Amino acid sequence: MELLSTNVSFDGEHRRYRHHSATLECDMEFAVYLPPSAVGRNPRKVPALYWLSGLTCTDQNFMQKAGAQKQAAKLGLALICPDTSPRGLNLPGEDDSYDFGSGAGFYINATQQPWAPHYRMYDYVVKELPQLVESELPVTEKRSVSGHSMGGHGALICALKNPGLYASVSAFAPIANPTECPWGQKAFKGYLGDDTRAWEEWDATLLIPTARERLPILIDQGTADEFLDSQLNPDALADACEKFHHHINLRMHRGYDHSYFFIASFIDEHLNHHAEALELR
């Protein structure tokens, strides 16, 4: 791991790292916030919240805009923020659109060429990155996961597909039913091919019926979100949860949009949700 930068924040440290990913076969950058208890003369290991960002984002958007560090410092919670895709591979079409390729890995494992060798963000987020962070930094094996939009979709599928790996899960304005929306259909067709049956294992709404663990799901969604009706469809997820008795707390907030102004307004409540599950409260 190569340390790229460090900033003191609420007596903790925000750090950016670069490393070579064997899973993605390229160099990747990610950000970490370590609370005061994990730095200094007598650092101790702390649990971590993995935050998965949305389309077009990098590791930096959440760390700079969400305002999560103050509450994370109080709670003794580390924040881990990966990038949203591999970068700079010079694959054909990699940078042609905002919702496919660079910045749009969708946290799945691609099976189609030329994406399959590199676009394996699911394995990177679930396996490689936690192993790296937990071996090199003062972070325990206790984890929670959250995210926004495409990253909210990522957080949900990571939790639903890996019973016992995460203590809790939450999301802001997730792409809740990607097999039924334009963003998801474009990405899944490109990364996974035309067989829609292969798409189903990457759709949170379709994973609810067979989920082997019933972690309570916390979702915040703005009513003024311009993507609510066309892309996000939280009602489909809520309906599936109700049908199969999977606890969900879907909170609709009047007037809020899809931006980081929305995330910053409610991030502390999400951090508290995860801190309780991680036994920090």
Side-chain angles (χ1 to χ4, degrees):
M1 285 166 45
E2 175 190 358
L3 180 63
L4 300 177
S5 64
T6 182
N7 306 92
V8 175
S9 180
F10 297 100
D11 293 325
E13 289 185 22
H14 166 259
R15 303 176 183 176
R16 296 192 68 239
Y17 288 97
R18 179 186 294 125
H19 76 109
H20 183 77
S21 168
T23 300
L24 308 179
E25 297 183 8
C26 66
D27 287 346
M28 292 293 290
E29 296 178 358
F30 67 94
V32 177
Y33 176 72
L34 295 174
S37 54
V39 298
R41 293 183 178 179
N42 298 301
R44 62 177 178 85
K45 290 189 174 185
V46 296
L49 173 65
Y50 286 78
W51 174 270
L52 308 183
S53 293
L55 288 168
T56 74
C57 289
T58 69
D59 65 280
Q60 299 185 68
N61 300 72
F62 176 77
M63 291 297 194
Q64 294 179 3
K65 296 180 178 180
Q69 290 88 344
K70 184 175 183 178
Q71 187 66 7
K74 290 180 180 178
L75 294 169
L77 178 65
L79 306 173
I80 314 295
C81 190
D83 203 346
T84 52
S85 77
R87 303 275 177 176
L89 296 170
N90 297 318
L91 300 178
E94 180 181 50
D95 299 314
D96 287 356
S97 58
Y98 79 95
D99 54 357
F100 186 80
S102 294
F106 266 83
Y107 305 102
I108 66 176
N109 289 337
T111 59
Q112 301 299 298
Q113 296 299 332
W115 314 100
H118 306 285
Y119 275 66
R120 304 183 61 81
M121 288 298 294
Y122 173 79
D123 277 354
Y124 176 73
V125 166
V126 170
K127 299 175 183 179
E128 184 179 16
L129 185 60
Q131 291 172 359
L132 177 67
V133 167
E134 290 160 13
S135 65
E136 299 291 335
L137 296 173
V139 172
T140 71
E141 294 181 359
K142 290 184 176 181
R143 316 174 191 94
S144 291
V145 64
S146 186
H148 172 230
S149 194
M150 177 185 74
H153 141 76
L156 292 171
I157 64 169
C158 285
L160 289 167
K161 291 166 68 69
N162 293 280
L165 188 63
Y166 302 100
S168 53
V169 59
S170 73
F172 287 84
I175 304 173
N177 192 192
T179 60
E180 298 295 332
C181 78
W183 278 343
Q185 290 167 352
K186 178 178 179 177
F188 287 6
K189 183 175 182 179
Y191 295 136
L192 302 173
D194 293 327
D195 184 359
T196 56
R197 291 172 299 178
W199 302 3
E200 294 176 1
E201 68 171 297
W202 306 107
D203 186 317
T205 296
L206 302 182
L207 290 173
I208 290 294
T210 57
R212 290 184 290 144
E213 183 180 40
R214 300 286 172 175
L215 288 179
I217 298 172
L218 171 62
I219 292 178
D220 280 328
Q221 173 65 62
T223 63
D225 189 321
E226 63 268 42
F227 305 113
L228 176 57
D229 295 330
S230 60
Q231 303 283 8
L232 305 179
N233 199 7
D235 288 342
L237 178 63
D239 289 346
C241 287
E242 181 178 3
K243 181 178 180 180
F244 291 94
H245 309 290
H246 194 127
H247 180 74
I248 184 170
N249 184 7
L250 172 59
R251 310 191 304 184
M252 303 298 295
H253 299 278
R254 183 175 300 277
Y256 283 89
D257 58 19
H258 200 69
S259 71
Y260 270 88
F261 294 107
F262 167 52
I263 295 171
S265 299
F266 300 101
I267 189 62
D268 284 4
E269 296 175 35
H270 282 245
L271 296 182
N272 292 340
H273 166 77
H274 295 296
E276 185 171 346
L278 293 164
E279 300 179 335
L280 291 173
R281 293 176 62 111

